[in-house]
Structure formats: structure tokens, C-alpha cells
């Protein structure tokens, strides 16, 4: 499968999911794979982002915070349990 075919397939999956989902959201770690998926999904819809952030390493999230601000994302941040 070529790169273009993979991207086209990903767009079809996203379109079908958007049709079928009642309340879609995207989970992101803001790592390289999540950033690609976020970019693909944002070409179809602006969804809320679920992001699990550990409170003890705030410097670790500098990049995530800058992306959240730059893209004006709605982020649902669930604190770790226990």
C-alpha cells in the first residue's frame, strides 16, 4: 500500500467513525503518532481531546501545552486515579 493509499484509507476510517459515533473525541499523548492522528482528524472535525497529564512533571508537557494553545483545542484532562 502506498503512502497516499494509507492516508486515503485513514480519512475513510475517520469519516465513517464520525458518522457512526454519537459523541466522538480523540485521545492524544501529543507524541509523534498522536500528532499525526490529531492532524488527520482535525481535517474532518474539531473534536475535544482527552489528555492524561501527570501532575508531577509539568515541564514534560511544554510541547503539549503549546499545541493546545496554538490550535485552541478543547482538552479534557483526567487526573490519574489514586
Amino acid at each position: 500500500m502506498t503512502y497516499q493509499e494509507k492516508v486515503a484509507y485513514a480519512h475513510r476510517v475517520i469519516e465513517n467513525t464520525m458518522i457512526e459515533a454519537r459523541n466522538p473525541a480523540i485521545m492524544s499523548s501529543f507524541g509523534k503518532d498522536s500528532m499525526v492522528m490529531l492532524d488527520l482528524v482535525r481535517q474532518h472535525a474539531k473534536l475535544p481531546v482527552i489528555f492524561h497529564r501527570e501532575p508531577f512533571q509539568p515541564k514534560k508537557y511544554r510541547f503539549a501545552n503549546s499545541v493546545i494553545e496554538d490550535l485552541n483545542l478543547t482538552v479534557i484532562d483526567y487526573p490519574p486515579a489514586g
Side-chain angles (χ1 to χ4, degrees):
M1 190 181 279
T2 67
Y3 172 77
Q4 289 82 5
E5 290 170 334
K6 290 177 183 180
V7 171
Y9 177 74
H11 283 291
R12 286 193 302 275
V13 169
I14 293 166
E15 288 168 358
N16 290 336
T17 301
M18 296 299 294
I19 291 167
E20 295 177 14
R22 287 188 297 225
N23 193 13
I26 183 169
M27 186 167 190
S28 180
S29 67
F30 293 94
K32 60 184 181 280
D33 297 331
S34 289
M35 290 303 298
V36 170
M37 182 58 66
L38 185 60
D39 180 60
L40 289 169
V41 169
R42 284 178 50 83
Q43 293 177 37
H44 296 270
K46 186 173 179 180
L47 298 179
V49 177
I50 300 170
F51 178 42
H52 292 281
R53 186 189 317 244
E54 301 285 341
F56 1 94
Q57 294 182 332
K59 289 182 181 180
K60 180 180 175 182
Y61 301 111
R62 247 186 231 146
F63 176 73
N65 292 335
S66 69
V67 171
I68 291 166
E69 186 176 324
D70 291 346
L71 298 179
N72 194 28
L73 299 175
T74 301
V75 176
I76 301 163
D77 182 9
Y78 288 104

